[in-house]
């Protein structure tokens, strides 16, 4: 049962945004947040522009706070790569529009983690003086980032399981309650 058809997208969107904001602001391992999974879920369950609103809202709320706390400029070119990647997460989620299949969700989550790793670390390499702007330098940048990739994979799989699983359970509970009250 898709949220858009039930017209209850607002509470789910708000809950995902709050979860994403809180998860980015509390201490956590690098890249172990539900932002990628929330973006994937948004693409899978929300129509049109609403799906893109979730990752954009999470990042727009938390980036200024985190940048102020960490004493970094309000805007970094890296945010372009990160925001672009979360936009792709929404597109990947579109392939899950009519499914609750755990293997398909897990595969989409792994694809999502991989594209985030490739895009954001390309951005690190492109803007870095630490890595030579050669193919070998790009490879070295990806190698150094492998521990972060592990956290991204674990985080995306964990939070995708929680978010999609909770939605499936709540949808079934709500549907069962509707039939029992009829």
């Amino acid at each position: 049962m898709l949220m858009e058809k039930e017209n209850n997208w607002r509470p789910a969107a708000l809950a995902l945004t709050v979860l994403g904001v809180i998860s980015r602001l509390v201490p956590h391992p690098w890249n172990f947040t539900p932002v990628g999974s929330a973006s994937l879920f948004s693409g899978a369950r929300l129509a049109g522009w609403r799906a893109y609103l979730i990752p954009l809202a999470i990042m727009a709320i938390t980036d200024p706070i985190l940048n102020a706390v960490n004493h970094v400029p309000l805007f970094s070119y890296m945010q372009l790569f990160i925001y672009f990647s979360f936009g792709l997460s929404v597109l990947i989620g579109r392939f899950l529009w009519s499914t609750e299949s755990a293997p398909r969700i897990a595969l989409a989550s792994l694809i999502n983690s991989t594209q985030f790793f490739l895009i954001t670390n390309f951005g690190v390499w492109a803007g870095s003086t630490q890595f030579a702007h050669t193919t070998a330098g790009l490879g070295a940048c990806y190698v150094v980032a492998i521990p972060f990739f592990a956290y991204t994979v674990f985080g995306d799989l964990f939070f995708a399981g929680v978010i999609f699983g909770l939605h499936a359970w709540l949808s079934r509970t709500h549907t069962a309650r509707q039939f029992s009250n009829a």
Side-chain angles (χ1 to χ4, degrees):
M1 194 173 301
L2 300 176
M3 282 190 287
E4 194 65 28
K5 290 182 180 177
E6 293 181 29
N7 200 25
N8 67 349
W9 66 271
R10 286 182 183 96
L14 180 61
L16 284 172
T17 303
V18 169
L19 174 66
V21 166
I22 291 170
S23 73
R24 287 198 76 215
L25 296 178
V26 299
H28 60 276
W30 281 99
N31 295 357
F32 192 88
T33 69
V35 182
S37 298
S39 302
L40 197 66
F41 180 83
S42 297
R45 300 294 185 262
L46 300 178
W49 61 269
R50 293 177 183 117
Y52 295 93
L53 188 60
I54 303 304
L56 182 61
I58 293 168
M59 300 305 287
I61 292 167
T62 58
D63 275 350
I65 296 167
L66 293 171
N67 290 353
V69 168
N70 294 316
H71 307 290
V72 296
L74 183 59
F75 182 79
S76 161
Y77 84 97
M78 270 306 298
Q79 288 168 290
L80 296 173
F81 292 92
I82 295 167
Y83 285 42
F84 176 75
S85 176
F86 287 138
L88 283 180
S89 299
V90 173
L91 289 176
I92 293 167
R94 295 290 187 219
F95 292 100
L96 301 172
W97 184 257
S98 63
T99 187
E100 291 183 348
S101 164
R104 284 189 66 194
I105 292 167
L107 177 61
S109 184
L110 290 171
I111 292 168
N112 188 43
S113 299
T114 303
Q115 67 84 12
F116 182 84
F117 174 79
L118 293 172
I119 290 169
T120 58
N121 286 294
F122 179 83
V124 168
W125 169 78
S128 173
T129 56
Q130 182 180 0
F131 301 101
H133 288 169
T134 63
T135 306
L138 179 59
C141 181
Y142 284 129
V143 168
V144 168
I146 289 173
F148 298 103
F149 180 52
Y151 284 123
T152 303
V153 170
F154 295 141
D156 283 354
L157 286 171
F158 174 77
F159 287 112
V162 169
I163 294 168
F164 280 92
L166 187 59
H167 177 258
W169 177 72
L170 289 172
S171 295
R172 286 183 182 90
T173 303
H174 178 72
T175 302
R177 204 174 314 134
Q178 280 183 326
F179 285 119
S180 68
N181 290 335

